[in-house]
Structures are given as structure tokens and as C-alpha cells.
Amino acid sequence: MIIGKIIDKENNDLSKRIDKQKVPEHIAIIMDGNGRWATKKGLPRSYGHKRGVSVLKEILKASKKLGCKVLTVYAFSTENWTRPTKEVDFLINLFSEVLRNEIEEINEESTKIKFIGDLTPFPETLKKIISSSESLTKNNNKFLLNVCVNYGGRQEIVKVAKELVLKCCTGEIKPSEVNEELFNSELLTRGIKDPELLIRTSGEKRISNFLLWQLAYSEIYISDVLWPDFNEFEFLKAIIDYQSRNRRFGGIESLSNESNQDSQLPS
Ligand code: FPP
């Protein structure tokens, strides 16, 4: 099935190589390299972030075209507060500006937007626009865009642990009832399938405290391209690479549904 003509140097249409039946339902992205992209061009880092927004729009469109259902992007980590105030302020303003400019179109396309992370330290103006964007789009069901802001995977796990301990203390649940399902139900991503694919740009080979629980069995694709230069073509390359993987989930491909001692070993 042709998804849209995306031609490589040898004139091959990459979209023809996509198996529509094997498109990941949920893709997580660490959009890395904005600062380096700008610095390389002799521009302030903020230019990289601005350009990063256009790339996100392109990838959102490409994801929908492919038939993917959920995109979760890392826009601001709990560690990003250590950046110079000027850059932090710029990013905070950029989030508000993007929401103000794009929310109408996001809503028209029946996309639901959700912010994941601790919003407490953000200014009221941003909190308000986040809240109105979330409530405007809450019933949309074609696509889900999760934006992780002031998010940290360890912090999320500690939060869940605290909530479960509290429920044990009040007798709502028994310690013996704590299992993965219950843990999942307390995550900030509750109700959302774990990402099948994580894409990180800029060549860094780290998870950087992103979705630590949810990425347990995700395929990881590292692109050397800096986020502001990432595009639909690079995105399709990631999907094609993902589709060539043999996802065993710790088992053995041909025996994945049979009980086998070795399949218990991590791979
Ligand atoms: C990482 O590059 C990128 C960020 C910290 C910010 C990404 C944010 C956006 C693209 C805006 C998205 C906005 C909305 C509302 C969804 P970096 O600065 O860490 O790059 P470096 O590693 O080269 O320094």
C-alpha cells in the first residue's frame, strides 16, 4: 500500500516498503539535538527548539498517515530545569505558543492531547492553556498525542509506589495484591498500550529517564540525525527498521506460545 511518495537517493519509494499490518500502534520519541543543530549553524539554541516544533508537526502527520494511534514525545525532562533560565523560559513560552496556535487544528483532526508529568512548577498561564487544550480534545478518538513535560521515569515509578503503599496502609488493597497490572493502573500512562518503538534522534544511545516502566520491551531505534533535521523520510526508515525486528519478548520466536524453560531467560 502506498502511503505517500517518500523517495530515497536511489529513487526508491520508502513508503512502499512499509507493511501496513505491522505499523507500531504507539511510538515514543526522544526529540534530541535541537541545541546542537542551532549551535552548529551559529544560531541561538532557541532556533533549534522552534524548528523542532515544525518537525514534530511533520512527524505527527506522518504517524497518522501510517495508521499509528499514539505518539508520546519527551518535550521537557525533570532534569531540564538545570538549563539556563533563559532557555527554560523560552521552552515554557514555546509550549504555550504552540498550543495557542495549533490546538484548533489538533482538535479538528480529532486528536486528543495529553500532558504527562508534574505540572506544578509551571506558570499558571501554561497550566491554564494545557488544561483547556486537554479538556477541548478529551473526547477525540482518532489519535493521541502525549507530551511529556517535567517528566521523569524514576519519579513516576516512585509516585506509583507511594500511591500503592498508601492504598495498602488504608486497607484499600493488600500488599499481596500488588502486581504489574495494578502498577500499570497507577501510571501516568494508564490505559495506554506500551510503546512498541522508541525513536531517539541525535545519535545518543540513552533512555534518559524516559518512560522507564513502559519501555521495558520496546524496540529502540537510534537515528544520528538531529531532531530539527529529522523528517518523514527518516521516520519511515525507523519504521522499516522496526518492521525487520524479531520481537521475542524474552521468548523464542517459534515457541513463543509454548511453555519452555529457556523462554524465561531475558534476551
Ligand atoms: C532536546 O534538544 C529538545 C528539547 C529539550 C525540547 C523539545 C521541545 C520541542 C520540540 C517543543 C515541543 C512543543 C510542544 C508543545 C509539544 P536539546 O536541547 O537537548 O538538544 P542538545 O542535546 O543538542 O542540547
Side-chain angles (χ1 to χ4, degrees), residues 182-252:
L182 201 61
F183 208 94
N184 262 319
S185 71
E186 296 286 347
L187 288 169
L188 299 169
T189 54
R190 61 186 150 264
I192 304 166
K193 181 181 181 182
D194 289 340
E196 294 99 316
L197 172 64
L198 167 72
I199 298 175
R200 180 169 189 154
T201 57
S202 92
E204 304 290 352
K205 299 176 183 70
R206 288 187 294 276
I207 292 185
S208 300
N209 206 14
F210 189 42
L211 302 174
L212 295 183
W213 174 280
Q214 297 86 339
L215 293 175
Y217 278 102
S218 309
E219 296 296 325
I220 300 179
Y221 178 86
I222 307 288
S223 166
D224 286 331
V225 175
L226 303 174
W227 179 251
D229 282 333
F230 200 74
N231 53 26
E232 186 173 4
F233 181 78
E234 296 299 330
F235 183 63
L236 291 188
K237 270 167 57 184
I239 305 294
I240 290 165
D241 187 83
Y242 162 83
Q243 294 188 335
S244 73
R245 312 266 181 102
N246 172 12
R247 303 193 77 207
R248 297 195 306 275
F249 300 96
I252 296 173

Coordinates of all heavy atoms in Angstrom, one line a residue, residues 182-252:
L182 N -1.8 -3.8 38.6 CA -2.1 -2.8 39.5 C -1.2 -1.6 39.3 O -1.6 -0.4 39.4 CB -2.1 -3.3 40.9 CG -2.9 -2.6 42.0 CD1 -4.3 -2.6 41.6 CD2 -2.7 -3.2 43.3
F183 N 0.1 -1.9 39.2 CA 1.1 -0.9 39.0 C 0.8 -0.1 37.7 O 0.8 1.2 37.8 CB 2.5 -1.6 38.9 CG 3.6 -0.7 39.3 CD1 4.1 -0.8 40.6 CD2 4.2 0.2 38.4 CE1 5.2 0.0 41.0 CE2 5.2 1.1 38.9 CZ 5.7 1.0 40.2
N184 N 0.5 -0.8 36.7 CA 0.1 -0.1 35.4 C -1.0 0.8 35.6 O -1.1 1.9 35.0 CB -0.3 -1.2 34.4 CG 0.8 -1.5 33.4 OD1 1.6 -0.7 33.0 ND2 1.0 -2.8 33.1
S185 N -2.0 0.4 36.4 CA -3.2 1.2 36.6 C -2.9 2.5 37.3 O -3.8 3.4 37.3 CB -4.3 0.4 37.3 OG -3.9 0.3 38.6
E186 N -1.8 2.7 37.9 CA -1.5 3.9 38.6 C -0.5 4.8 37.8 O -0.2 5.9 38.2 CB -0.8 3.6 40.0 CG -1.7 2.9 41.0 CD -2.8 3.8 41.6 OE1 -2.7 5.0 41.4 OE2 -3.7 3.3 42.2
L187 N 0.0 4.3 36.7 CA 1.0 5.1 35.9 C 0.3 6.3 35.3 O -0.9 6.3 35.1 CB 1.6 4.2 34.8 CG 2.6 3.1 35.2 CD1 2.8 2.2 34.0 CD2 3.9 3.7 35.7
L188 N 1.1 7.3 34.9 CA 0.6 8.5 34.2 C 0.1 8.1 32.9 O -0.7 8.8 32.3 CB 1.7 9.5 34.1 CG 2.2 10.1 35.5 CD1 3.5 10.9 35.2 CD2 1.2 10.8 36.2
T189 N 0.5 6.9 32.3 CA 0.1 6.5 31.0 C -1.0 5.4 31.1 O -1.2 4.6 30.2 CB 1.3 5.9 30.3 OG1 1.9 4.9 31.1 CG2 2.3 6.9 29.9
R190 N -1.6 5.3 32.3 CA -2.6 4.2 32.5 C -3.6 4.2 31.3 O -4.1 5.2 30.8 CB -3.3 4.3 33.8 CG -4.1 5.6 34.0 CD -4.7 5.7 35.4 NE -4.8 7.1 35.8 CZ -3.9 7.8 36.5 NH1 -2.8 7.2 36.9 NH2 -4.0 9.1 36.7
G191 N -3.9 3.0 30.9 CA -4.9 2.8 29.8 C -4.3 2.9 28.4 O -5.0 2.6 27.5
I192 N -3.0 3.2 28.4 CA -2.4 3.4 27.1 C -1.4 2.2 26.9 O -0.6 1.9 27.8 CB -1.6 4.7 26.9 CG1 -2.5 5.9 27.2 CG2 -0.9 4.8 25.6 CD1 -1.8 7.2 27.4
K193 N -1.5 1.6 25.8 CA -0.6 0.4 25.5 C 0.9 0.9 25.5 O 1.1 2.0 25.1 CB -1.0 0.0 24.0 CG -0.2 -1.2 23.5 CD -0.7 -1.5 22.1 CE 0.1 -2.7 21.6 NZ -0.3 -3.0 20.2
D194 N 1.8 0.1 26.0 CA 3.2 0.5 26.0 C 3.7 0.7 24.6 O 3.2 0.0 23.6 CB 4.0 -0.7 26.6 CG 3.8 -0.8 28.1 OD1 3.3 0.2 28.7 OD2 4.1 -1.8 28.7
P195 N 4.7 1.6 24.4 CA 5.2 1.9 23.0 C 5.9 0.6 22.5 O 6.7 0.0 23.2 CB 6.2 3.0 23.2 CG 6.0 3.5 24.6 CD 5.4 2.4 25.4
E196 N 5.6 0.3 21.2 CA 6.3 -0.8 20.6 C 7.7 -0.3 20.1 O 8.6 -1.1 20.0 CB 5.6 -1.3 19.4 CG 4.2 -2.0 19.6 CD 3.1 -1.0 19.4 OE1 3.2 0.2 19.8 OE2 2.1 -1.5 18.8
L197 N 7.8 1.0 19.9 CA 9.0 1.5 19.3 C 9.4 2.8 20.0 O 8.5 3.7 20.2 CB 8.8 1.8 17.8 CG 9.9 2.6 17.0 CD1 11.2 1.8 17.0 CD2 9.4 2.9 15.6
L198 N 10.7 2.9 20.4 CA 11.2 4.2 20.9 C 12.2 4.7 19.8 O 13.1 4.0 19.4 CB 12.0 4.0 22.2 CG 12.8 5.2 22.6 CD1 12.0 6.4 23.1 CD2 13.8 4.8 23.7
I199 N 12.0 6.0 19.4 CA 13.0 6.6 18.5 C 13.7 7.7 19.3 O 13.1 8.5 20.0 CB 12.3 7.3 17.3 CG1 11.5 6.2 16.5 CG2 13.3 8.0 16.4 CD1 10.7 6.8 15.3
R200 N 15.1 7.7 19.2 CA 15.8 8.8 19.8 C 16.7 9.4 18.7 O 17.4 8.6 17.9 CB 16.7 8.3 20.9 CG 17.5 9.5 21.5 CD 18.2 9.2 22.8 NE 18.7 10.5 23.3 CZ 18.9 10.8 24.6 NH1 18.7 9.9 25.5 NH2 19.4 11.9 24.9
T201 N 16.7 10.6 18.5 CA 17.5 11.3 17.5 C 18.8 11.8 18.1 O 19.0 11.7 19.3 CB 16.7 12.5 16.9 OG1 16.4 13.4 17.9 CG2 15.5 12.0 16.1
S202 N 19.7 12.2 17.2 CA 21.0 12.8 17.5 C 22.0 11.8 17.9 O 23.1 12.2 18.4 CB 20.8 13.9 18.6 OG 21.0 13.4 19.9
G203 N 21.8 10.5 17.8 CA 22.8 9.5 17.9 C 23.1 9.1 19.4 O 23.9 8.2 19.6
E204 N 22.5 9.8 20.4 CA 22.7 9.4 21.8 C 22.0 8.1 22.0 O 20.9 7.9 21.7 CB 22.1 10.5 22.7 CG 22.6 11.9 22.5 CD 24.1 12.0 22.9 OE1 24.7 11.1 23.5 OE2 24.7 13.1 22.6
K205 N 22.7 7.2 22.8 CA 22.2 5.8 23.0 C 21.8 5.7 24.5 O 22.3 4.8 25.2 CB 23.3 4.8 22.6 CG 23.6 4.9 21.1 CD 24.7 3.9 20.7 CE 25.1 4.1 19.3 NZ 25.8 5.3 19.0
R206 N 20.9 6.5 24.9 CA 20.5 6.5 26.3 C 18.9 6.6 26.3 O 18.3 7.2 25.4 CB 21.0 7.7 27.1 CG 22.4 7.7 27.4 CD 22.7 8.9 28.3 NE 22.6 10.2 27.6 CZ 23.5 10.8 26.9 NH1 24.6 10.2 26.7 NH2 23.3 11.9 26.3
I207 N 18.4 6.2 27.4 CA 16.9 6.3 27.6 C 16.6 7.6 28.4 O 15.5 8.2 28.3 CB 16.3 5.1 28.3 CG1 16.4 3.9 27.4 CG2 14.8 5.3 28.7 CD1 15.7 2.6 27.9
S208 N 17.6 8.1 29.1 CA 17.5 9.4 29.8 C 16.2 9.6 30.6 O 15.5 10.6 30.5 CB 17.6 10.6 28.8 OG 18.8 10.5 28.1
N209 N 15.9 8.6 31.4 CA 14.8 8.7 32.4 C 13.4 8.8 31.7 O 12.5 9.4 32.3 CB 15.1 9.9 33.3 CG 14.4 9.7 34.7 OD1 13.9 8.6 35.0 ND2 14.3 10.8 35.4
F210 N 13.3 8.3 30.5 CA 12.0 8.4 29.8 C 11.3 7.1 29.9 O 11.8 6.1 29.6 CB 12.4 8.7 28.3 CG 11.2 9.1 27.4 CD1 10.2 9.9 27.9 CD2 11.1 8.6 26.1 CE1 9.1 10.3 27.1 CE2 10.0 8.9 25.3 CZ 9.0 9.8 25.8
L211 N 10.0 7.2 30.3 CA 9.1 6.0 30.3 C 9.8 4.7 30.7 O 9.7 3.7 30.0 CB 8.5 5.8 28.9 CG 7.7 7.0 28.3 CD1 7.3 6.8 26.9 CD2 6.5 7.4 29.2
L212 N 10.5 4.7 31.8 CA 11.3 3.6 32.2 C 10.5 2.3 32.4 O 11.0 1.2 32.0 CB 12.0 3.9 33.6 CG 13.1 5.0 33.5 CD1 13.8 5.1 34.9 CD2 14.1 4.7 32.4
W213 N 9.3 2.4 32.9 CA 8.5 1.2 33.1 C 7.9 0.7 31.7 O 8.0 -0.4 31.3 CB 7.3 1.5 34.1 CG 6.3 0.4 34.2 CD1 5.3 0.2 33.3 CD2 6.3 -0.6 35.2 NE1 4.6 -0.9 33.8 CE2 5.2 -1.4 34.9 CE3 7.0 -0.8 36.4 CZ2 4.8 -2.5 35.8 CZ3 6.7 -1.9 37.2 CH2 5.6 -2.7 36.9
Q214 N 7.4 1.7 31.0 CA 6.7 1.4 29.7 C 7.6 0.9 28.6 O 7.1 0.3 27.7 CB 5.9 2.7 29.3 CG 4.9 3.2 30.2 CD 5.5 4.2 31.3 OE1 6.7 4.2 31.6 NE2 4.6 5.0 31.8
L215 N 8.9 1.3 28.6 CA 9.8 0.9 27.5 C 10.4 -0.5 27.7 O 11.3 -0.9 27.0 CB 10.9 1.9 27.4 CG 10.4 3.3 26.9 CD1 11.6 4.3 26.9 CD2 9.8 3.3 25.5
A216 N 9.9 -1.2 28.7 CA 10.6 -2.5 29.1 C 10.9 -3.4 27.9 O 11.9 -4.0 27.8 CB 9.7 -3.2 30.1
Y217 N 9.9 -3.5 27.0 CA 10.1 -4.4 25.8 C 10.0 -3.6 24.5 O 9.8 -4.3 23.4 CB 9.1 -5.5 25.9 CG 9.6 -6.6 26.8 CD1 9.0 -6.7 28.1 CD2 10.6 -7.5 26.4 CE1 9.5 -7.7 28.9 CE2 11.1 -8.5 27.2 CZ 10.5 -8.6 28.5 OH 11.0 -9.5 29.3
S218 N 10.2 -2.3 24.5 CA 10.1 -1.6 23.2 C 11.3 -1.8 22.4 O 12.4 -2.0 23.0 CB 10.0 -0.1 23.5 OG 8.9 0.2 24.4
E219 N 11.2 -1.8 21.1 CA 12.3 -1.8 20.2 C 12.9 -0.3 20.2 O 12.1 0.6 20.2 CB 11.9 -2.1 18.8 CG 11.4 -3.5 18.6 CD 12.4 -4.6 19.0 OE1 13.6 -4.4 18.7 OE2 12.0 -5.6 19.5
I220 N 14.2 -0.2 20.2 CA 14.9 1.1 20.2 C 15.5 1.4 18.9 O 16.3 0.5 18.4 CB 15.9 1.2 21.4 CG1 15.1 0.9 22.7 CG2 16.6 2.5 21.4 CD1 16.0 0.9 23.9
Y221 N 15.2 2.5 18.3 CA 15.9 3.0 17.1 C 16.6 4.3 17.3 O 16.0 5.3 17.8 CB 14.8 3.1 16.0 CG 15.4 3.6 14.7 CD1 15.9 2.7 13.7 CD2 15.4 5.0 14.3 CE1 16.4 3.1 12.5 CE2 15.9 5.4 13.1 CZ 16.4 4.5 12.2 OH 16.9 4.9 11.0
I222 N 17.9 4.3 17.1 CA 18.7 5.5 17.3 C 19.0 6.1 15.9 O 19.5 5.4 15.0 CB 20.0 5.2 18.0 CG1 19.8 4.4 19.3 CG2 20.8 6.5 18.2 CD1 19.2 5.2 20.4
S223 N 18.6 7.3 15.7 CA 18.9 8.0 14.4 C 20.0 9.0 14.7 O 20.0 9.7 15.7 CB 17.6 8.7 13.9 OG 18.0 9.6 12.9
D224 N 21.0 9.0 13.8 CA 22.1 10.0 14.0 C 21.6 11.4 13.7 O 22.4 12.4 13.9 CB 23.3 9.6 13.1 CG 24.0 8.4 13.7 OD1 23.9 8.2 15.0 OD2 24.6 7.6 13.0
V225 N 20.5 11.5 13.0 CA 20.0 12.9 12.6 C 19.6 13.7 13.8 O 18.9 13.2 14.7 CB 18.9 12.7 11.6 CG1 18.2 14.0 11.2 CG2 19.3 11.9 10.4
L226 N 19.9 15.0 13.8 CA 19.5 15.8 14.9 C 18.0 16.1 14.7 O 17.5 16.2 13.5 CB 20.3 17.2 14.9 CG 21.8 17.0 15.0 CD1 22.5 18.4 14.9 CD2 22.2 16.4 16.4
W227 N 17.3 16.3 15.8 CA 15.8 16.4 15.7 C 15.4 17.5 14.7 O 14.5 17.2 13.8 CB 15.2 16.6 17.0 CG 13.7 16.8 17.0 CD1 12.9 17.9 17.2 CD2 12.7 15.8 16.6 NE1 11.6 17.7 17.0 CE2 11.4 16.4 16.7 CE3 12.8 14.4 16.3 CZ2 10.3 15.6 16.4 CZ3 11.7 13.7 16.1 CH2 10.4 14.3 16.1
P228 N 16.0 18.7 14.6 CA 15.5 19.7 13.6 C 15.7 19.2 12.2 O 15.0 19.8 11.3 CB 16.3 20.9 14.0 CG 16.7 20.7 15.4 CD 17.0 19.3 15.5
D229 N 16.5 18.2 11.9 CA 16.7 17.7 10.6 C 15.9 16.4 10.3 O 15.9 15.9 9.2 CB 18.2 17.5 10.3 CG 19.0 18.7 10.0 OD1 18.3 19.7 9.5 OD2 20.2 18.8 10.3
F230 N 15.3 15.9 11.4 CA 14.5 14.7 11.2 C 13.3 15.0 10.4 O 12.8 16.1 10.4 CB 14.1 14.2 12.6 CG 13.7 12.8 12.7 CD1 14.7 11.8 12.6 CD2 12.4 12.4 12.9 CE1 14.3 10.4 12.7 CE2 12.0 11.1 13.0 CZ 13.0 10.1 12.9
N231 N 12.8 14.0 9.7 CA 11.6 14.3 8.8 C 10.9 13.0 8.5 O 11.3 11.9 9.0 CB 12.1 15.0 7.5 CG 13.2 14.1 6.8 OD1 13.3 12.9 7.0 ND2 14.0 14.8 6.0
E232 N 9.9 13.1 7.6 CA 9.1 11.9 7.3 C 10.0 10.7 6.8 O 9.8 9.6 7.1 CB 8.0 12.2 6.4 CG 7.0 11.1 6.1 CD 5.8 11.5 5.3 OE1 5.7 12.6 4.8 OE2 5.0 10.6 5.1
F233 N 10.9 11.1 5.9 CA 11.8 10.1 5.3 C 12.6 9.3 6.4 O 12.6 8.1 6.4 CB 12.8 10.8 4.4 CG 13.7 9.9 3.7 CD1 13.3 9.2 2.6 CD2 15.1 9.8 4.1 CE1 14.2 8.3 1.9 CE2 15.9 8.9 3.5 CZ 15.5 8.2 2.4
E234 N 13.2 10.1 7.4 CA 13.9 9.4 8.5 C 13.0 8.6 9.3 O 13.3 7.6 9.9 CB 14.6 10.5 9.3 CG 15.7 11.3 8.6 CD 16.8 10.4 8.0 OE1 17.1 9.4 8.7 OE2 17.4 10.7 7.0
F235 N 11.8 9.1 9.5 CA 10.8 8.4 10.3 C 10.4 7.1 9.7 O 10.3 6.0 10.3 CB 9.5 9.3 10.4 CG 8.4 8.8 11.3 CD1 8.6 8.6 12.6 CD2 7.2 8.6 10.7 CE1 7.6 8.1 13.5 CE2 6.1 8.1 11.5 CZ 6.3 7.9 12.9
L236 N 10.2 7.1 8.3 CA 9.9 5.8 7.7 C 11.0 4.8 7.7 O 10.8 3.6 7.9 CB 9.5 6.1 6.2 CG 8.2 6.8 5.9 CD1 7.9 6.8 4.5 CD2 7.0 6.2 6.7
K237 N 12.3 5.4 7.7 CA 13.4 4.5 7.9 C 13.3 3.8 9.3 O 13.6 2.6 9.4 CB 14.7 5.3 7.8 CG 15.2 5.4 6.4 CD 16.3 6.4 6.2 CE 17.6 6.3 7.0 NZ 18.5 7.4 6.8
A238 N 12.9 4.5 10.3 CA 12.8 3.9 11.6 C 11.7 2.8 11.6 O 11.9 1.8 12.2 CB 12.5 5.0 12.6
I239 N 10.6 3.1 10.9 CA 9.5 2.1 10.9 C 10.0 0.9 10.2 O 9.7 -0.3 10.6 CB 8.3 2.7 10.2 CG1 7.8 4.0 10.9 CG2 7.1 1.7 10.2 CD1 7.4 3.9 12.3
I240 N 10.7 1.1 9.0 CA 11.1 -0.1 8.2 C 12.1 -0.9 9.1 O 12.0 -2.1 9.1 CB 11.8 0.4 6.9 CG1 10.7 1.0 6.0 CG2 12.5 -0.7 6.2 CD1 11.2 1.8 4.8
D241 N 13.0 -0.2 9.8 CA 13.9 -1.0 10.6 C 13.2 -1.7 11.7 O 13.4 -2.9 12.0 CB 14.9 0.0 11.3 CG 16.0 -0.7 12.0 OD1 17.0 -1.0 11.4 OD2 15.9 -0.9 13.3
Y242 N 12.2 -1.1 12.3 CA 11.4 -1.7 13.4 C 10.7 -3.0 12.8 O 10.7 -4.0 13.4 CB 10.3 -0.7 13.9 CG 9.2 -1.4 14.6 CD1 9.3 -1.7 16.0 CD2 8.0 -1.7 14.0 CE1 8.2 -2.3 16.6 CE2 6.9 -2.3 14.6 CZ 7.1 -2.6 16.0 OH 6.0 -3.2 16.6
Q243 N 10.2 -2.9 11.6 CA 9.4 -4.0 11.0 C 10.4 -5.2 10.6 O 9.9 -6.3 10.4 CB 8.7 -3.5 9.8 CG 7.6 -2.5 10.1 CD 6.6 -2.2 9.0 OE1 7.0 -2.3 7.8 NE2 5.4 -1.8 9.4
S244 N 11.7 -4.9 10.6 CA 12.6 -6.0 10.3 C 13.0 -6.7 11.6 O 13.7 -7.7 11.5 CB 13.8 -5.4 9.6 OG 14.6 -4.8 10.6
R245 N 12.6 -6.2 12.7 CA 13.0 -6.8 14.0 C 12.1 -8.0 14.3 O 11.0 -8.1 13.9 CB 12.8 -5.8 15.2 CG 13.4 -4.5 14.9 CD 14.8 -4.3 15.5 NE 15.3 -3.0 15.2 CZ 15.4 -2.0 16.2 NH1 15.0 -2.3 17.4 NH2 15.9 -0.8 15.9
N246 N 12.7 -8.9 15.1 CA 12.0 -10.1 15.5 C 11.7 -9.9 17.0 O 12.6 -10.1 17.9 CB 13.0 -11.3 15.3 CG 12.5 -12.6 15.9 OD1 11.3 -12.7 16.3 ND2 13.3 -13.6 15.9
R247 N 10.5 -9.5 17.3 CA 10.2 -9.2 18.7 C 9.8 -10.5 19.5 O 8.8 -11.1 19.3 CB 9.0 -8.2 18.8 CG 9.2 -7.0 18.0 CD 8.2 -5.9 18.3 NE 8.5 -5.3 19.6 CZ 7.5 -4.7 20.3 NH1 6.3 -4.8 19.9 NH2 7.8 -4.2 21.5
R248 N 10.7 -10.9 20.4 CA 10.5 -12.2 21.1 C 10.0 -12.0 22.5 O 9.7 -13.0 23.1 CB 11.9 -12.9 21.1 CG 12.4 -13.3 19.7 CD 13.4 -14.3 19.7 NE 14.5 -13.9 20.6 CZ 15.6 -13.1 20.2 NH1 15.6 -12.7 19.0 NH2 16.5 -12.8 21.1
F249 N 10.1 -10.8 23.1 CA 9.6 -10.6 24.4 C 10.2 -11.6 25.4 O 9.6 -12.1 26.3 CB 8.1 -10.7 24.5 CG 7.4 -9.6 23.7 CD1 7.0 -10.0 22.4 CD2 7.3 -8.3 24.1 CE1 6.4 -9.0 21.6 CE2 6.7 -7.4 23.3 CZ 6.2 -7.7 22.0
G250 N 11.5 -11.9 25.2 CA 12.2 -12.8 26.1 C 12.0 -14.3 25.8 O 12.5 -15.2 26.4
G251 N 11.2 -14.6 24.8 CA 10.9 -16.0 24.4 C 11.7 -16.4 23.2 O 12.7 -15.8 22.9
I252 N 11.3 -17.5 22.6 CA 11.9 -17.9 21.4 C 10.8 -17.9 20.3 O 9.7 -18.3 20.5 CB 12.4 -19.4 21.5 CG1 13.4 -19.5 22.6 CG2 12.9 -20.0 20.2 CD1 13.8 -20.9 23.0

